[in-house]
Amino acid sequence: MSKSFTFPLMAALPVLLASCGNDLDRYSRTTYSSYEQCLIANRVLIDRGLSNPCVYRSGGGYYGPYVRVVSGTTRYVGYDRLGKVSGSGLTYDSKRGSYGSFKAPVSRGGFMSGSRSGSFGG
C-alpha cells in the first residue's frame, strides 16, 4: 500500500526565498585575475577607508568590492577578515566630489561562505 504526502510549505518555498533577498542583489562586482590587480584597481577606495576590497573567488581569481550607483552616489562594500560581506561601506557622491560611509547591506545565511580574503598593509 502506497502512501502519499503533501508538503504545502514546499510549494511556498520559492516565494519565501524571494522575500529573504537583500540589497546585495542590486550590486555588481568586477572579477580580477590576481589579488594585486584588484588592489591596484581599487587603490583610491582603500586610501579613502574601504577595508578589504578584494576577496578570493572559488573559481579562481578575485572579486572586487560590491558596487552600486544610485542618483549620482556610488556605494562600495568590501569584505571582512573572513571574506564575508563587510557591515560597513564607502560612498562617493559625484555631485559633491566627497566620500562618506554607510551601514552596508550584510547578507543573510552566509552569502559569502567559502570565500577568503587576502590581507594588505595600509
Side-chain angles (χ1 to χ4, degrees):
M1 186 170 166
S2 163
K3 291 187 179 184
S4 172
F5 294 98
T6 58
F7 296 100
L9 187 57
M10 293 298 280
L13 190 58
V15 174
L16 182 63
L17 289 174
S19 69
C20 290
N22 60 49
D23 247 2
L24 286 174
D25 297 338
R26 299 182 197 134
Y27 284 68
S28 63
R29 292 189 288 183
T30 301
T31 303
Y32 300 92
S33 59
S34 73
Y35 186 67
E36 292 73 25
Q37 269 187 337
C38 185
L39 289 180
I40 290 167
N42 293 288
R43 176 56 55 195
V44 172
L45 302 178
I46 295 166
D47 292 345
R48 296 294 183 166
L50 186 66
S51 298
N52 295 324
C54 308
V55 69
Y56 178 75
R57 184 175 162 233
S58 61
Y62 289 81
Y63 282 123
Y66 282 92
V67 180
R68 182 175 181 208
V69 180
V70 178
S71 301
T73 299
T74 306
R75 291 180 168 209
Y76 302 95
V77 181
Y79 309 93
D80 66 14
R81 292 180 185 264
L82 300 175
K84 297 185 189 250
V85 179
S86 176
S88 61
L90 183 70
T91 62
Y92 176 69
D93 184 330
S94 62
K95 295 173 187 169
R96 296 181 180 172
S98 62
Y99 287 86
S101 60
F102 74 106
K103 184 175 178 176
V106 177
S107 73
R108 300 174 190 157
F111 180 82
M112 294 300 298
S113 64
S115 297
R116 65 179 197 265
S117 64
S119 60
F120 57 90

